[in-house]
Amino acid sequence: MIPLPLLPPESCEGCGLCCEGIGSPVVLYASRPGLPSPHPFRPPNLPAPLIDEINEHFAGLTRGQEPQSRCLWFDPIQRACSHYEYRPQICRDYELGGRACLQRRRDELMSAQGKDD
């Protein structure tokens, strides 16, 4: 059987693969002990309840030290970001249908096919 090419997706709706297994980029928004001001990447309009959620969840961890299973803001039921309008720059830069997106989808497809065998 000849494998069919993986077509670029038309939207991110219902996918969320880029939010799983990459850690949690929102850790960049966490308050850092000893620093007089918030992290420079934190959006100035980030609501206080979200800041509290991040600070409590990560408790002083930095990028790379957080659990790698999925992003804190990833909603596995909707398969979407719970706070999309406040997502970090790295999430904004992740290109729909780009090389990383297609590779992640290809890996998921291969993994699913392996489970069916």
Side-chain angles (χ1 to χ4, degrees):
M1 175 181 243
I2 299 172
L4 297 174
L6 188 64
L7 299 175
E10 293 183 14
S11 83
C12 296
E13 193 171 322
C15 179
L17 290 174
C18 58
C19 303
E20 297 180 307
I22 53 102
S24 194
V26 299
V27 72
L28 294 175
Y29 296 165
S31 299
R32 299 286 178 251
L35 291 181
S37 60
H39 197 286
F41 296 139
R42 183 190 295 166
N45 60 343
L46 189 65
L50 295 183
I51 294 170
D52 292 343
E53 173 189 39
I54 291 165
N55 289 339
E56 288 173 24
H57 186 80
F58 296 114
L61 297 177
T62 58
R63 185 78 171 119
Q65 296 176 324
E66 80 277 15
Q68 298 297 303
S69 58
R70 69 173 71 132
C71 181
L72 172 65
W73 287 354
F74 179 62
D75 176 346
I77 305 296
Q78 299 294 318
R79 300 210 50 85
C81 183
S82 298
H83 306 292
Y84 187 79
E85 64 273 21
Y86 301 112
R87 70 197 186 284
Q89 190 63 47
I90 191 169
C91 301
R92 294 170 190 274
D93 292 343
Y94 197 92
E95 183 183 2
L96 172 66
R99 205 156 72 200
C101 172
L102 292 178
Q103 184 62 51
R104 185 70 179 95
R105 286 169 174 259
R106 191 174 294 112
D107 292 347
E108 184 67 17
L109 181 64
M110 297 304 246
S111 176
Q113 287 176 347
K115 292 176 185 173
D116 292 338
D117 292 341

